[in-house]
PDB file of all heavy atoms in Angstrom:
ATOM      1  N   THR P1068      10.372-129.901 143.574  1.00  0.00           N
ATOM      2  CA  THR P1068      10.744-131.320 143.466  1.00  0.00           C
ATOM      3  C   THR P1068      10.331-132.073 144.722  1.00  0.00           C
ATOM      4  O   THR P1068       9.823-133.198 144.652  1.00  0.00           O
ATOM      5  CB  THR P1068      12.257-131.454 143.244  1.00  0.00           C
ATOM      6  OG1 THR P1068      12.621-130.765 142.043  1.00  0.00           O
ATOM      7  CG2 THR P1068      12.668-132.918 143.124  1.00  0.00           C
ATOM      8  N   TYR P1069      10.547-131.456 145.872  1.00  0.00           N
ATOM      9  CA  TYR P1069      10.171-132.107 147.133  1.00  0.00           C
ATOM     10  C   TYR P1069       8.666-132.367 147.197  1.00  0.00           C
ATOM     11  O   TYR P1069       8.223-133.453 147.600  1.00  0.00           O
ATOM     12  CB  TYR P1069      10.604-131.241 148.314  1.00  0.00           C
ATOM     13  CG  TYR P1069       9.926-131.628 149.592  1.00  0.00           C
ATOM     14  CD1 TYR P1069      10.204-132.849 150.212  1.00  0.00           C
ATOM     15  CD2 TYR P1069       8.972-130.793 150.167  1.00  0.00           C
ATOM     16  CE1 TYR P1069       9.548-133.211 151.371  1.00  0.00           C
ATOM     17  CE2 TYR P1069       8.319-131.159 151.329  1.00  0.00           C
ATOM     18  CZ  TYR P1069       8.614-132.365 151.928  1.00  0.00           C
ATOM     19  OH  TYR P1069       7.964-132.724 153.074  1.00  0.00           O
ATOM     20  N   LEU P1070       7.857-131.396 146.776  1.00  0.00           N
ATOM     21  CA  LEU P1070       6.404-131.582 146.820  1.00  0.00           C
ATOM     22  C   LEU P1070       5.961-132.713 145.895  1.00  0.00           C
ATOM     23  O   LEU P1070       5.066-133.500 146.240  1.00  0.00           O
ATOM     24  CB  LEU P1070       5.703-130.277 146.438  1.00  0.00           C
ATOM     25  CG  LEU P1070       5.792-129.155 147.474  1.00  0.00           C
ATOM     26  CD1 LEU P1070       5.201-127.865 146.919  1.00  0.00           C
ATOM     27  CD2 LEU P1070       5.071-129.555 148.761  1.00  0.00           C
ATOM     28  N   MET P1071       6.590-132.812 144.724  1.00  0.00           N
ATOM     29  CA  MET P1071       6.253-133.911 143.819  1.00  0.00           C
ATOM     30  C   MET P1071       6.660-135.252 144.419  1.00  0.00           C
ATOM     31  O   MET P1071       5.919-136.238 144.316  1.00  0.00           O
ATOM     32  CB  MET P1071       6.930-133.692 142.463  1.00  0.00           C
ATOM     33  CG  MET P1071       6.307-132.585 141.632  1.00  0.00           C
ATOM     34  SD  MET P1071       6.973-132.516 139.950  1.00  0.00           S
ATOM     35  CE  MET P1071       8.631-131.953 140.253  1.00  0.00           C
ATOM     36  N   LEU P1072       7.826-135.296 145.054  1.00  0.00           N
ATOM     37  CA  LEU P1072       8.259-136.536 145.703  1.00  0.00           C
ATOM     38  C   LEU P1072       7.284-136.943 146.797  1.00  0.00           C
ATOM     39  O   LEU P1072       6.932-138.119 146.936  1.00  0.00           O
ATOM     40  CB  LEU P1072       9.650-136.350 146.313  1.00  0.00           C
ATOM     41  CG  LEU P1072      10.857-136.628 145.444  1.00  0.00           C
ATOM     42  CD1 LEU P1072      12.135-136.293 146.198  1.00  0.00           C
ATOM     43  CD2 LEU P1072      10.887-138.081 144.992  1.00  0.00           C
ATOM     44  N   ARG P1073       6.832-135.981 147.572  1.00  0.00           N
ATOM     45  CA  ARG P1073       5.925-136.278 148.676  1.00  0.00           C
ATOM     46  C   ARG P1073       4.625-136.882 148.176  1.00  0.00           C
ATOM     47  O   ARG P1073       4.043-137.763 148.809  1.00  0.00           O
ATOM     48  CB  ARG P1073       5.643-135.004 149.477  1.00  0.00           C
ATOM     49  CG  ARG P1073       4.952-135.266 150.806  1.00  0.00           C
ATOM     50  CD  ARG P1073       4.799-134.010 151.604  1.00  0.00           C
ATOM     51  NE  ARG P1073       3.880-133.070 150.976  1.00  0.00           N
ATOM     52  CZ  ARG P1073       3.493-131.923 151.527  1.00  0.00           C
ATOM     53  NH1 ARG P1073       3.974-131.567 152.705  1.00  0.00           N
ATOM     54  NH2 ARG P1073       2.657-131.117 150.903  1.00  0.00           N
ATOM     55  N   SER P1074       4.183-136.442 147.007  1.00  0.00           N
ATOM     56  CA  SER P1074       2.940-136.980 146.453  1.00  0.00           C
ATOM     57  C   SER P1074       3.128-138.383 145.887  1.00  0.00           C
ATOM     58  O   SER P1074       2.178-139.168 145.803  1.00  0.00           O
ATOM     59  CB  SER P1074       2.395-136.051 145.367  1.00  0.00           C
ATOM     60  OG  SER P1074       3.253-136.022 144.242  1.00  0.00           O
ATOM     61  N   LEU P1075       4.377-138.723 145.506  1.00  0.00           N
ATOM     62  CA  LEU P1075       4.642-140.034 144.918  1.00  0.00           C
ATOM     63  C   LEU P1075       4.931-141.100 145.971  1.00  0.00           C
ATOM     64  O   LEU P1075       4.639-142.278 145.760  1.00  0.00           O
ATOM     65  CB  LEU P1075       5.840-139.950 143.962  1.00  0.00           C
ATOM     66  CG  LEU P1075       5.619-139.165 142.656  1.00  0.00           C
ATOM     67  CD1 LEU P1075       6.942-139.025 141.913  1.00  0.00           C
ATOM     68  CD2 LEU P1075       4.597-139.856 141.774  1.00  0.00           C
ATOM     69  N   LEU P1076       5.517-140.686 147.089  1.00  0.00           N
ATOM     70  CA  LEU P1076       5.931-141.650 148.097  1.00  0.00           C
ATOM     71  C   LEU P1076       4.781-141.959 149.046  1.00  0.00           C
ATOM     72  O   LEU P1076       3.922-141.124 149.306  1.00  0.00           O
ATOM     73  CB  LEU P1076       7.123-141.108 148.887  1.00  0.00           C
ATOM     74  CG  LEU P1076       8.375-140.835 148.052  1.00  0.00           C
ATOM     75  CD1 LEU P1076       9.450-140.175 148.895  1.00  0.00           C
ATOM     76  CD2 LEU P1076       8.903-142.125 147.436  1.00  0.00           C
ATOM     77  N   LEU P1077       4.786-143.154 149.568  1.00  0.00           N
ATOM     78  CA  LEU P1077       3.731-143.584 150.469  1.00  0.00           C
ATOM     79  C   LEU P1077       3.751-142.777 151.747  1.00  0.00           C
ATOM     80  O   LEU P1077       4.807-142.465 152.299  1.00  0.00           O
ATOM     81  CB  LEU P1077       3.897-145.077 150.803  1.00  0.00           C
ATOM     82  CG  LEU P1077       3.741-146.058 149.628  1.00  0.00           C
ATOM     83  CD1 LEU P1077       4.075-147.471 150.099  1.00  0.00           C
ATOM     84  CD2 LEU P1077       2.327-146.006 149.092  1.00  0.00           C
ATOM     85  N   VAL P1078       2.568-142.435 152.230  1.00  0.00           N
ATOM     86  CA  VAL P1078       2.455-141.712 153.494  1.00  0.00           C
ATOM     87  C   VAL P1078       2.767-142.648 154.646  1.00  0.00           C
ATOM     88  O   VAL P1078       3.459-142.307 155.605  1.00  0.00           O
ATOM     89  CB  VAL P1078       1.049-141.110 153.656  1.00  0.00           C
ATOM     90  CG1 VAL P1078       0.916-140.440 155.018  1.00  0.00           C
ATOM     91  CG2 VAL P1078       0.754-140.124 152.537  1.00  0.00           C
ATOM     92  N   GLU P1079       2.270-143.861 154.590  1.00  0.00           N
ATOM     93  CA  GLU P1079       2.505-144.845 155.637  1.00  0.00           C
ATOM     94  C   GLU P1079       3.632-145.784 155.225  1.00  0.00           C
ATOM     95  O   GLU P1079       3.878-146.022 154.056  1.00  0.00           O
ATOM     96  CB  GLU P1079       1.227-145.664 155.900  1.00  0.00           C
ATOM     97  CG  GLU P1079       0.032-144.821 156.331  1.00  0.00           C
ATOM     98  CD  GLU P1079       0.236-144.146 157.665  1.00  0.00           C
ATOM     99  OE1 GLU P1079       1.057-144.653 158.467  1.00  0.00           O
ATOM    100  OE2 GLU P1079      -0.398-143.114 157.907  1.00  0.00           O
ATOM    101  N   GLY P1080       4.276-146.344 156.224  1.00  0.00           N
ATOM    102  CA  GLY P1080       5.338-147.310 155.941  1.00  0.00           C
ATOM    103  C   GLY P1080       6.673-146.637 155.710  1.00  0.00           C
ATOM    104  O   GLY P1080       6.783-145.417 155.616  1.00  0.00           O
ATOM    105  N   ARG P1081       7.698-147.437 155.599  1.00  0.00           N
ATOM    106  CA  ARG P1081       9.053-146.918 155.451  1.00  0.00           C
ATOM    107  C   ARG P1081       9.313-146.502 154.010  1.00  0.00           C
ATOM    108  O   ARG P1081       9.104-147.268 153.084  1.00  0.00           O
ATOM    109  CB  ARG P1081      10.066-147.984 155.875  1.00  0.00           C
ATOM    110  CG  ARG P1081      11.502-147.477 155.867  1.00  0.00           C
ATOM    111  CD  ARG P1081      12.469-148.591 156.189  1.00  0.00           C
ATOM    112  NE  ARG P1081      13.838-148.095 156.231  1.00  0.00           N
ATOM    113  CZ  ARG P1081      14.595-147.867 155.170  1.00  0.00           C
ATOM    114  NH1 ARG P1081      14.091-148.093 153.976  1.00  0.00           N
ATOM    115  NH2 ARG P1081      15.824-147.422 155.290  1.00  0.00           N
ATOM    116  N   GLY P1082       9.749-145.287 153.838  1.00  0.00           N
ATOM    117  CA  GLY P1082      10.110-144.794 152.514  1.00  0.00           C
ATOM    118  C   GLY P1082      11.546-144.302 152.520  1.00  0.00           C
ATOM    119  O   GLY P1082      12.259-144.438 153.515  1.00  0.00           O
ATOM    120  N   PRO P1083      11.996-143.724 151.420  1.00  0.00           N
ATOM    121  CA  PRO P1083      13.366-143.212 151.373  1.00  0.00           C
ATOM    122  C   PRO P1083      13.572-142.079 152.380  1.00  0.00           C
ATOM    123  O   PRO P1083      12.645-141.326 152.686  1.00  0.00           O
ATOM    124  CB  PRO P1083      13.498-142.687 149.932  1.00  0.00           C
ATOM    125  CG  PRO P1083      12.358-143.273 149.179  1.00  0.00           C
ATOM    126  CD  PRO P1083      11.268-143.519 150.170  1.00  0.00           C
ATOM    127  N   GLU P1084      14.789-141.969 152.882  1.00  0.00           N
ATOM    128  CA  GLU P1084      15.143-140.833 153.723  1.00  0.00           C
ATOM    129  C   GLU P1084      15.506-139.666 152.805  1.00  0.00           C
ATOM    130  O   GLU P1084      16.296-139.817 151.876  1.00  0.00           O
ATOM    131  CB  GLU P1084      16.319-141.195 154.635  1.00  0.00           C
ATOM    132  CG  GLU P1084      15.966-142.266 155.656  1.00  0.00           C
ATOM    133  CD  GLU P1084      17.159-142.669 156.511  1.00  0.00           C
ATOM    134  OE1 GLU P1084      18.223-142.013 156.396  1.00  0.00           O
ATOM    135  OE2 GLU P1084      17.033-143.629 157.288  1.00  0.00           O
ATOM    136  N   LEU P1085      14.922-138.506 153.061  1.00  0.00           N
ATOM    137  CA  LEU P1085      15.081-137.353 152.183  1.00  0.00           C
ATOM    138  C   LEU P1085      16.052-136.344 152.791  1.00  0.00           C
ATOM    139  O   LEU P1085      15.952-136.004 153.972  1.00  0.00           O
ATOM    140  CB  LEU P1085      13.740-136.673 151.938  1.00  0.00           C
ATOM    141  CG  LEU P1085      12.623-137.531 151.335  1.00  0.00           C
ATOM    142  CD1 LEU P1085      11.358-136.698 151.160  1.00  0.00           C
ATOM    143  CD2 LEU P1085      13.057-138.123 150.009  1.00  0.00           C
ATOM    144  N   THR P1086      16.977-135.865 151.969  1.00  0.00           N
ATOM    145  CA  THR P1086      17.890-134.790 152.353  1.00  0.00           C
ATOM    146  C   THR P1086      17.809-133.722 151.273  1.00  0.00           C
ATOM    147  O   THR P1086      17.796-134.033 150.085  1.00  0.00           O
ATOM    148  CB  THR P1086      19.347-135.300 152.464  1.00  0.00           C
ATOM    149  OG1 THR P1086      19.393-136.390 153.390  1.00  0.00           O
ATOM    150  CG2 THR P1086      20.270-134.199 152.952  1.00  0.00           C
ATOM    151  N   VAL P1087      17.735-132.458 151.699  1.00  0.00           N
ATOM    152  CA  VAL P1087      17.592-131.358 150.749  1.00  0.00           C
ATOM    153  C   VAL P1087      18.668-130.315 151.029  1.00  0.00           C
ATOM    154  O   VAL P1087      18.910-129.949 152.191  1.00  0.00           O
ATOM    155  CB  VAL P1087      16.197-130.694 150.856  1.00  0.00           C
ATOM    156  CG1 VAL P1087      16.081-129.552 149.845  1.00  0.00           C
ATOM    157  CG2 VAL P1087      15.100-131.713 150.624  1.00  0.00           C
ATOM    158  N   GLU P1088      19.324-129.853 149.968  1.00  0.00           N
ATOM    159  CA  GLU P1088      20.236-128.716 150.080  1.00  0.00           C
ATOM    160  C   GLU P1088      19.509-127.472 149.595  1.00  0.00           C
ATOM    161  O   GLU P1088      18.944-127.465 148.496  1.00  0.00           O
ATOM    162  CB  GLU P1088      21.492-128.923 149.234  1.00  0.00           C
ATOM    163  CG  GLU P1088      22.448-127.736 149.337  1.00  0.00           C
ATOM    164  CD  GLU P1088      23.446-127.660 148.183  1.00  0.00           C
ATOM    165  OE1 GLU P1088      23.259-128.363 147.171  1.00  0.00           O
ATOM    166  OE2 GLU P1088      24.404-126.878 148.295  1.00  0.00           O
ATOM    167  N   ILE P1089      19.507-126.418 150.408  1.00  0.00           N
ATOM    168  CA  ILE P1089      18.948-125.141 149.976  1.00  0.00           C
ATOM    169  C   ILE P1089      19.994-124.056 150.164  1.00  0.00           C
ATOM    170  O   ILE P1089      21.040-124.275 150.781  1.00  0.00           O
ATOM    171  CB  ILE P1089      17.638-124.779 150.727  1.00  0.00           C
ATOM    172  CG1 ILE P1089      17.893-124.614 152.230  1.00  0.00           C
ATOM    173  CG2 ILE P1089      16.566-125.819 150.463  1.00  0.00           C
ATOM    174  CD1 ILE P1089      16.669-124.083 152.983  1.00  0.00           C
ATOM    175  N   LEU P1090      19.692-122.864 149.645  1.00  0.00           N
ATOM    176  CA  LEU P1090      20.682-121.796 149.625  1.00  0.00           C
ATOM    177  C   LEU P1090      20.291-120.595 150.467  1.00  0.00           C
ATOM    178  O   LEU P1090      21.126-119.718 150.705  1.00  0.00           O
ATOM    179  CB  LEU P1090      20.921-121.348 148.176  1.00  0.00           C
ATOM    180  CG  LEU P1090      21.382-122.472 147.245  1.00  0.00           C
ATOM    181  CD1 LEU P1090      21.426-121.986 145.810  1.00  0.00           C
ATOM    182  CD2 LEU P1090      22.745-123.004 147.662  1.00  0.00           C
ATOM    183  N   GLU P1091      19.049-120.534 150.924  1.00  0.00           N
ATOM    184  CA  GLU P1091      18.609-119.412 151.749  1.00  0.00           C
ATOM    185  C   GLU P1091      17.894-119.933 152.989  1.00  0.00           C
ATOM    186  O   GLU P1091      16.934-120.706 152.888  1.00  0.00           O
ATOM    187  CB  GLU P1091      17.684-118.483 150.951  1.00  0.00           C
ATOM    188  CG  GLU P1091      18.407-117.782 149.798  1.00  0.00           C
ATOM    189  CD  GLU P1091      17.514-116.783 149.063  1.00  0.00           C
ATOM    190  OE1 GLU P1091      16.288-117.005 149.014  1.00  0.00           O
ATOM    191  OE2 GLU P1091      18.046-115.785 148.551  1.00  0.00           O
ATOM    192  N   LYS P1092      18.350-119.497 154.147  1.00  0.00           N
ATOM    193  CA  LYS P1092      17.794-119.961 155.417  1.00  0.00           C
ATOM    194  C   LYS P1092      16.300-119.654 155.518  1.00  0.00           C
ATOM    195  O   LYS P1092      15.538-120.401 156.135  1.00  0.00           O
ATOM    196  CB  LYS P1092      18.554-119.297 156.567  1.00  0.00           C
ATOM    197  CG  LYS P1092      18.092-119.723 157.947  1.00  0.00           C
ATOM    198  CD  LYS P1092      18.852-118.969 159.018  1.00  0.00           C
ATOM    199  CE  LYS P1092      18.327-119.315 160.406  1.00  0.00           C
ATOM    200  NZ  LYS P1092      19.031-118.521 161.464  1.00  0.00           N
TER     201      LYS P1092
END
């Protein structure tokens, strides 16, 4: 999901702040 979001969001300029919960360090 994160990789798909990264491809959709603009590289330059202000975008959403991303927070991710994972289960394995």
Side-chain angles (χ1 to χ4, degrees):
T1068 301
Y1069 164 68
L1070 289 173
M1071 287 188 291
L1072 272 176
R1073 192 175 67 175
S1074 67
L1075 290 173
L1076 299 174
L1077 295 174
V1078 176
E1079 301 295 336
R1081 185 184 182 280
E1084 294 177 7
L1085 302 180
T1086 304
V1087 180
E1088 180 200 13
I1089 63 173
L1090 302 173
E1091 294 184 330
K1092 181 183 176 183

